[in-house]
Amino acid sequence: MKSSNGIVYPYLPEGRIIQHVPVNHLFMVLAKEYARKYSVDKSMPVGCVIMKNGHVLGMGANGSDYHEHHGCERVKLRIPSGQQYELCEGCDTKNHGEARAIADARERGHDIRGAEMYTWGHWFFCSSCWDKMIAAELGDVFMMEGSERLFNREHPSNIVGKQFA
């Protein structure tokens, strides 16, 4: 689905937008550092930060060690990115940074309705993550400027596998 900024996303719910901030935006830097420290997925590390009124409410990073021990069923079946996460325990949306950031904020007792989410390491949100963000009543969501090139495996100038180089 094409957004108002001209980016064609694999999935974007009706009426929703993804906003973009510079790589040096304070909350994006925080999301990147969280991904660097805590993401278990070394090929596509993702970090998410939920902010409200200048305060961090929750943080999450993606991944599990399932792939190290069992491989990825989705890769073996050549499933496109963003689809059929339920086929692989390691890809299950409970292991996505967005879901973990929402869970972290809730475990801390925060009301995240209307809060902003900053995500580093993705260029789109899967439908399951959108469902979780909508159900949580999050407000605006942000990704890094240029993420549609940098984190898209199909784009010739992506940095997949070299995000922290």
Side-chain angles (χ1 to χ4, degrees), residues 26-163:
L26 177 63
F27 303 148
M28 194 57 63
V29 170
L30 188 58
K32 179 181 180 180
E33 287 307 308
Y34 199 81
R36 181 191 314 264
K37 286 183 181 178
Y38 299 106
S39 178
V40 180
D41 186 333
K42 297 309 173 199
S43 117
M44 287 298 289
V46 173
C48 299
V49 177
I50 298 176
M51 303 292 300
K52 192 172 188 180
N53 300 324
H55 298 284
V56 175
L57 303 185
M59 299 175 82
N62 66 327
S64 78
D65 65 355
Y66 181 88
H67 292 135
E68 290 177 29
H69 304 287
H70 306 284
C72 177
E73 283 80 7
R74 292 175 57 250
V75 170
K76 292 173 190 172
L77 296 170
R78 300 177 195 255
I79 304 294
S81 181
Q83 297 177 22
Q84 296 181 293
Y85 290 117
E86 70 281 0
L87 296 177
C88 178
E89 175 62 27
C91 296
D92 189 281
T93 55
K94 70 183 177 200
N95 297 319
H96 291 199
E98 299 87 350
R100 287 186 171 165
I102 291 168
D104 181 53
R106 287 182 172 153
E107 286 171 10
R108 295 170 184 240
H110 293 298
D111 176 7
I112 60 174
R113 290 176 293 173
E116 300 172 336
M117 180 178 283
Y118 293 82
T119 299
W120 182 91
H122 272 330
W123 72 279
F124 72 95
F125 298 107
C126 70
S127 62
S128 295
C129 285
W130 269 116
D131 290 347
K132 287 175 178 24
M133 293 185 298
I134 291 167
E137 299 181 49
L138 284 177
D140 294 333
V141 295
F142 298 87
M143 290 189 178
M144 188 178 78
E145 288 176 346
S147 61
E148 72 281 3
R149 293 183 330 275
L150 299 172
F151 304 122
N152 181 348
R153 286 186 172 102
E154 305 301 318
H155 198 281
S157 62
N158 76 66
I159 60 169
V160 175
K162 305 172 282 202
Q163 290 91 324

